[in-house]
Amino acid sequence: MQDMDLTQVIIGQSARMRQVLRMVEKLGRCRWPVLLLGETGTGKEVVARAIHNVLGERPFVTIDCSSMVGPLMESELFGHVKGSFTGAYQSKLGLIEMANGGSAFFDEIGELPLDLQAKLLRVLQQKEFRPVGSLTPRHSDFRIIAASNRDLAREVERGAFRRDLYYRLSVVNLRITPLRDRKEDIPSLIAHFMERYGNRQVLSREALDAILSYDWPGNVRELENCVQHMLAMNSGPLLHTAELPSSVQNHIQAKRSQYLVAAAAADVPRIPPQSPFPVPAGGDGQTPVILPLVELEKRAIAQTLEYTRGDRVMAANLLGIGRTTLYRKIKEYAIAS
Ligand SMILES: Nc1ncnc2c1ncn2[C@@H]1O[C@H](COP(=O)(O)OP(=O)(O)O)[C@@H](O)[C@H]1O
Ligand SMILES: [Mg+2]
């Protein structure tokens, strides 16, 4: 549960993620409690680590409240002394004590049972706790970063979450927007995952199109899995729609048949909807177009800039080249943008 990999970057240039990054910088410099709210897979843990990393190398301990169940939960958190229960052959250090001097990331804190919520509050207020089976209080002082995919305020109203603990945790609330509401982050996230897991493959335009039109209920985690799935299915340099996971495939199918039904009702010609991502003339996006390379490059840049409505940063990301290279080529080819 203790993870030493602290080398995580936050990808995203949408206004919402830029705001999150500014908050990370600010919050990283103080030791206030932070409550991260957002659907599962939006990047709450990534953000928690980034906040912790601003100040440094002290321990970052992840406490996954949804995976700890039953009577062993208390001993996981607070540790126990030898012989405190059947099977406790040795004393054990709890996660709360491991976090001393650093940060404790309480993931899915909404899942913590009420009795342990009370004990946690005590630790936060008095910086003291007692391991299971011990009468001697022990000390631990850590910064708490909590995360939940539930609306904790509503859990408080329902009586499932302690109001006092909620107030203590929610000094600063940071909401992470679902991926469907910041789709402009998708191209750079894909580029990031392709670089991490791939071997210089590129996405076909149809595949990117499909990805951009899908709603990503599992957020960034689902997108990451999607890229891994495509890379595993693929053997060539170009990733095709056929290699998308079935969730995205089904979505394309459903959209297509919706369109056909609507087209039949409106009695319009049965051509597929206009792709938001431009395809070079004569190409279907899946098969290469035979054109001189420079001409291909020029068209690709012009069409990508048209698609991004002149946003050069996003265009460079989509094209997989650096910003300066893009600027140079725009000048070289005299592309109006
Ligand atoms: N902004 C981001 N940049 C890079 N990777 C991200 C980002 N957001 C999420 N991820 C990746 O997506 C996956 C899910 O993120 P995680 O932080 O575990 O989400 P949550 O805690 O909200 O469920 C992880 O593999 C993480 O590395
Ligand atoms: Mg998580």
Side-chain angles (χ1 to χ4, degrees):
M1 248 174 252
Q2 193 175 12
D3 195 336
M4 296 315 287
D5 175 26
L6 303 176
T7 55
Q8 183 101 51
V9 278
I10 304 181
I11 305 291
Q13 64 259 329
S14 59
R16 283 163 157 155
M17 283 313 282
R18 285 205 307 266
Q19 198 183 349
V20 167
L21 285 172
R22 279 196 295 275
M23 287 302 284
V24 164
E25 274 291 313
K26 263 192 210 155
L27 295 171
R29 292 181 201 293
C30 58
R31 292 193 19 109
W32 287 341
V34 178
L35 180 59
L36 300 170
L37 296 170
E39 290 177 11
T40 178
T42 46
K44 296 185 294 297
E45 180 156 2
V46 176
V47 170
R49 281 179 190 281
I51 291 174
H52 169 82
N53 285 349
V54 172
L55 280 188
E57 287 144 15
R58 296 148 312 149
F60 177 91
V61 177
T62 298
I63 299 171
D64 182 357
C65 303
S66 64
S67 78
M68 289 193 300
V69 282
L72 286 181
M73 199 163 180
E74 184 171 352
S75 120
E76 281 285 325
L77 274 182
F78 301 102
H80 62 245
V81 294
K82 192 174 162 181
S84 53
F85 52 86
T86 320
Y89 300 118
Q90 283 182 345
S91 298
K92 182 185 149 110
L93 198 66
L95 293 164
I96 294 274
E97 196 163 354
M98 288 185 199
N100 189 23
S103 310
F105 173 55
F106 277 77
D107 200 5
E108 297 310 342
I109 197 157
E111 310 293 320
L112 200 65
L114 282 163
D115 59 325
L116 292 181
Q117 288 177 26
K119 290 186 173 161
L120 173 61
L121 182 66
R122 229 182 92 85
V123 187
L124 296 178
Q125 283 170 339
Q126 283 149 30
K127 318 212 181 310
E128 262 183 19
F129 66 97
R130 275 206 312 260
V132 177
S134 166
L135 295 175
T136 330
R138 298 181 65 90
H139 176 90
S140 184
D141 186 6
F142 52 88
R143 182 235 189 106
I144 184 162
I145 305 175
S148 176
N149 67 7
R150 299 193 190 185
D151 181 348
L152 272 193
R154 194 179 309 150
E155 296 298 296
V156 171
E157 294 314 319
R158 269 191 341 115
F161 202 83
R162 288 184 67 109
R163 189 176 296 275
D164 44 12
L165 180 59
Y166 174 70
Y167 287 139
R168 184 96 197 176
L169 296 176
S170 63
V171 177
V172 182
N173 278 354
L174 200 51
R175 250 174 219 284
I176 318 291
T177 310
L179 191 56
R180 64 181 166 279
D181 295 330
R182 48 177 173 102
K183 286 192 174 175
E184 59 271 45
D185 287 341
I186 289 180
S188 44
L189 281 165
I190 292 176
H192 171 70
F193 295 135
M194 296 269 270
E195 196 175 309
R196 181 183 283 179
Y197 304 115
N199 185 20
R200 297 176 167 270
Q201 292 93 332
V202 285
L203 268 189
S204 81
R205 286 176 183 147
E206 269 85 356
L208 180 62
D209 243 3
I211 286 175
L212 287 172
S213 76
Y214 182 63
D215 267 349
W216 301 101
N219 294 293
V220 184
R221 181 174 292 110
E222 189 183 4
L223 180 65
E224 184 172 3
N225 291 342
C226 166
V227 171
Q228 288 177 310
H229 178 95
M230 293 185 86
L231 289 168
M233 301 286 289
N234 171 274
S235 51
L238 191 65
L239 305 180
H240 307 87
T241 31
E243 288 141 10
L244 284 163
S246 54
S247 47
V248 188
Q249 301 267 9
N250 293 342
H251 160 81
I252 311 172
Q253 283 301 330
K255 262 189 91 166
R256 215 170 262 154
S257 44
Q258 251 173 27
Y259 174 80
L260 289 179
V261 169
D267 200 21
V268 296
R270 294 182 180 199
I271 47 159
Q274 181 76 47
S275 151
F277 199 84
V279 172
D284 60 6
Q286 307 257 1
T287 42
V289 186
I290 312 293
L291 274 176
L293 270 182
V294 270
E295 183 55 32
L296 263 182
E297 186 173 74
K298 185 178 166 184
R299 284 193 192 187
I301 293 174
Q303 287 168 335
T304 308
L305 281 167
E306 195 182 303
Y307 172 63
T308 63
R309 296 200 183 87
D311 183 333
R312 294 179 176 194
V313 177
M314 189 173 174
N317 269 326
L318 282 169
L319 290 162
I321 58 177
R323 235 177 292 175
T324 17
T325 312
L326 180 63
Y327 290 168
R328 184 167 47 76
K329 288 183 188 289
I330 288 174
K331 227 170 132 185
E332 203 175 299
Y333 297 134
I335 298 168
S337 62

